[in-house]
Structure formats: C-alpha cells, structure tokens
Amino acid sequence: MKKWFIAFAGLLLTVTLAGCGNKTVATTNGGKITESQYYSSLKGTSSGKQVLQQMILNKVLEKQYGDKVKKSEVTKQFNKYKAQYGSSFSSVLSQSGMTQSGLKTEIRSNLLLKEAVKDNVTISDAQLKKQFKSYEPEVTVAHILVSKKSTADSIIKDLKGTKKSDLTSEFTKLAKKDSTDTATKNKGGKLSAFDSTDTSLDATFKKAAFKLQTNEYTTTPVKTQYGYHVILMLKNPGKGTVNQHKAELKSQIIDSDMNDSTVLHNVVAKVLKKGNVSIKDNDLKNILSDYLASSSSSKTSASSSSK
C-alpha cells in the first residue's frame, strides 16, 4: 500500500472539504470555530492538500475503473490482512488510527489504482523476457525442520531407503515425528503453494526448492536462520516458456510498477487529465500542477520501470 498518495491511516480527518459553511465545529469560552474557518485553515496545510489530492484521485478512479473492482476483491484483501495479524489486528488498526472501514476504503483505492496501471502501461516483449529470467512457477512442497544437521542427515538417510511409491507417506510420518515446525508438522510438513514472488519464505529455502522436480527431495540439509530443512517437492509444473506464463509475468510486472514512483506519477497524471478535474478554489488551483502539467497521453512503457 505504498503509493504516491498519503494513506488514510495517517489522516482520519472527518471534515468534507467541499460545501463548508458556518456550521459550528467546536465551541470554546473564547469563541466558536466554524466549518468555513476550519476549511480555510486546513487547506493551507500540506496534510489538507494531500487529503484533497486523495479525494480527487479516488473520484476519478472510481468513475473510470469502479466497475472493474468487485466488493469481493476488497473483502478478500481485507481478510488477508486480518489473517496476517491474527489476534493483533484490532490493536494494529487502533495504533495506526484506522478503522476497518477506513482500511477497506484504502484497499479499494489501491485496487482501483492497479487497474489504472494495467490500462495505462504497455508491457514489451523485452520486459516479459527479462521477468522470465527470475520467474519460477507456483510449486507445492513439504519440509521437515530440525535444529541439528545430524538429525537432518539421518532423515535423508531414511528417505534414501524408501521406495518411490512410499516416499510421500514416509516423509509425512517423519515430519510428524521429527519436525520442529509446529505450524506444518501435523500436515506432513506441507506448505502453502508459492512462486518466485513470495517474500515470506527464506531465500535459501526457495532456491533449494525450485531446483527439485516433483517427488524429488534435497539430498543435503538446507540451512537457514531457522535450522536445517529437508524439502520434498510435491508438485512442480516446470518453468515452461514465456508464452505459457505470459499472464503471470504481466501480473508480476504490474505489481512491480505499483511500487515505481515514476510509473505511478505518469499513470496518475493521465487518469487526472481524463477526469477533467477543475479546481474551483483559487488558493488550491495548483494542487495538481505536478500531474496536470505532464503532457503525454500515450501509454507508459513498462520498460521505463525496469531495474
């Protein structure tokens, strides 16, 4: 959720910047503060300007791409964050000054911007080929984690004496008996499927896993910060060709572009121009000048964001 616009987490401002009047916001023994006074003060601050930028962008994104982002997609992403933080979810939200509704709003904004990037970025064949070099398809493995290398060596020795037809069942038995990974041992050491974009697993672990074909296991212990692993490949579809994985490669490039400030700036500029934005308050007329001053209306080349 690292975008050009400021996150709602830091700016839970309850005022609507348009249509302010003389309604009282607060009273003191020294006088009252009206909406118009609050607005006049707020619009002169960087935070106030960022809120207005966010509101404008959300409006035009919703108009242009709202039908492409389903409520179920927002809920799915929300539930992913909720599961990630578990019992700490509510306290994390509270510490960030955010509500569940605010988080869902931010998730939707992020998904709308992603649709805009998809629509305004052209991905070249060269970009696809470059991405393919580091690409690994989604695989499923099981692992046994132990604290000593000698224990891992012993497990590998047991596996070497096992028939291929019995390999998975024997690995499951050994995982339940020896693995120190309490999250997976009762599932025979099975991990959730992952590909080369996964950031939750140790890089050394992933590198060793991707070298295995289906029903192969590591014949030497794999050392990571957690201990020693024995890895069994349950399913590896093979890397294939660029054309076979074009959709996945494009998705990975778009995800990369979502963290590229130059690409995002160009995309936002095009979205705002198409939105026919007009600032009515003279004091705020230059609030989008960095974006509306951009002149190109053609699609941004994905290769401009290549590292």
Side-chain angles (χ1 to χ4, degrees):
M1 293 183 284
K2 297 179 291 183
K3 299 293 164 276
W4 75 277
F5 50 81
I6 193 160
F8 284 110
L11 287 171
L12 288 184
L13 300 176
T14 57
V15 64
T16 299
L17 295 183
C20 290
N22 291 320
K23 183 178 178 180
T24 299
V25 175
T27 61
T28 74
N29 57 12
K32 65 181 182 180
I33 298 173
T34 65
E35 283 183 339
S36 59
Q37 290 173 327
Y38 182 37
Y39 170 75
S40 295
S41 176
L42 184 64
K43 72 179 183 179
T45 67
S46 60
S47 294
K49 290 174 181 178
Q50 287 173 321
V51 170
L52 182 56
Q53 287 176 335
Q54 176 69 65
M55 292 173 72
I56 292 170
L57 180 59
N58 282 350
K59 288 286 187 182
V60 295
L61 283 174
E62 196 67 56
K63 173 67 176 178
Q64 295 172 33
Y65 302 103
D67 60 344
K68 293 186 177 183
V69 177
K70 297 179 181 178
K71 185 177 180 181
S72 59
E73 293 179 76
V74 176
T75 301
K76 181 180 179 180
Q77 187 68 61
F78 176 84
N79 289 336
K80 183 178 179 181
Y81 288 131
K82 192 173 183 179
Q84 178 182 343
Y85 289 104
S87 59
S88 302
F89 182 64
S90 295
S91 61
V92 169
L93 283 179
S94 179
Q95 290 168 13
S96 301
M98 182 180 279
T99 63
Q100 291 192 18
S101 176
L103 176 57
K104 288 180 179 179
T105 299
E106 187 176 340
I107 290 171
R108 182 169 181 83
S109 297
N110 189 59
L111 292 174
L112 287 169
L113 183 59
K114 188 170 184 177
E115 289 298 327
V117 171
K118 290 180 184 177
D119 191 35
N120 288 280
V121 167
T122 298
I123 298 175
S124 67
D125 288 341
Q127 188 79 356
L128 289 171
K129 290 177 181 177
K130 181 178 180 180
Q131 187 68 23
F132 187 67
K133 288 181 180 179
S134 61
Y135 172 76
E136 291 290 348
E138 191 171 80
V139 299
T140 305
V141 307
H143 81 129
I144 299 172
L145 174 64
V146 294
S147 59
K148 295 181 179 179
K149 182 178 181 296
S150 59
T151 306
D153 285 331
S154 178
I155 291 170
I156 291 171
K157 184 177 180 180
D158 286 343
L159 292 173
K160 285 180 178 178
T162 303
K163 294 180 181 179
K164 282 191 175 182
S165 58
D166 298 331
L167 185 59
T168 301
S169 60
E170 178 65 16
F171 195 93
T172 298
K173 183 178 73 174
L174 291 171
K176 290 180 177 180
K177 173 177 169 286
D178 297 321
S179 184
T180 60
D181 183 355
T182 56
T184 65
K185 67 178 298 177
N186 290 329
K187 297 184 291 185
K190 186 177 180 180
L191 295 168
S192 299
F194 61 91
D195 62 18
S196 51
T197 65
D198 180 274
T199 57
S200 64
L201 295 172
D202 183 274
T204 302
F205 181 96
K206 289 191 297 180
K207 184 178 181 180
F210 289 136
K211 290 180 179 179
L212 301 172
Q213 299 301 312
T214 301
N215 292 326
E216 287 185 348
Y217 58 90
T218 50
T219 54
T220 57
V222 178
K223 189 178 186 301
T224 71
Q225 58 182 309
Y226 305 106
Y228 294 89
H229 306 258
V230 181
I231 306 169
L232 171 66
M233 178 59 68
L234 299 174
K235 183 181 179 182
N236 186 344
K239 188 166 182 175
T241 66
V242 172
N243 286 336
Q244 288 175 325
H245 297 287
K246 187 172 288 187
E248 299 101 303
L249 295 172
K250 284 184 176 181
S251 178
Q252 290 180 6
I253 292 169
I254 292 297
D255 285 341
S256 177
D257 286 343
M258 286 291 288
N259 290 293
D260 188 306
S261 60
T262 300
V263 172
L264 288 182
H265 185 284
N266 291 338
V267 169
V268 167
K270 291 165 188 172
V271 168
L272 292 174
K273 285 178 181 177
K274 188 176 179 181
N276 195 29
V277 179
S278 176
I279 307 297
K280 304 300 183 182
D281 189 314
N282 286 333
D283 293 332
L284 296 168
K285 63 182 179 180
N286 294 321
I287 196 171
L288 298 175
S289 58
D290 286 347
Y291 300 96
L292 298 180
S294 301
S295 58
S296 176
S297 60
S298 60
K299 285 195 172 186
T300 299
S301 172
S303 61
S304 68
S305 65
S306 61
K307 304 297 184 289

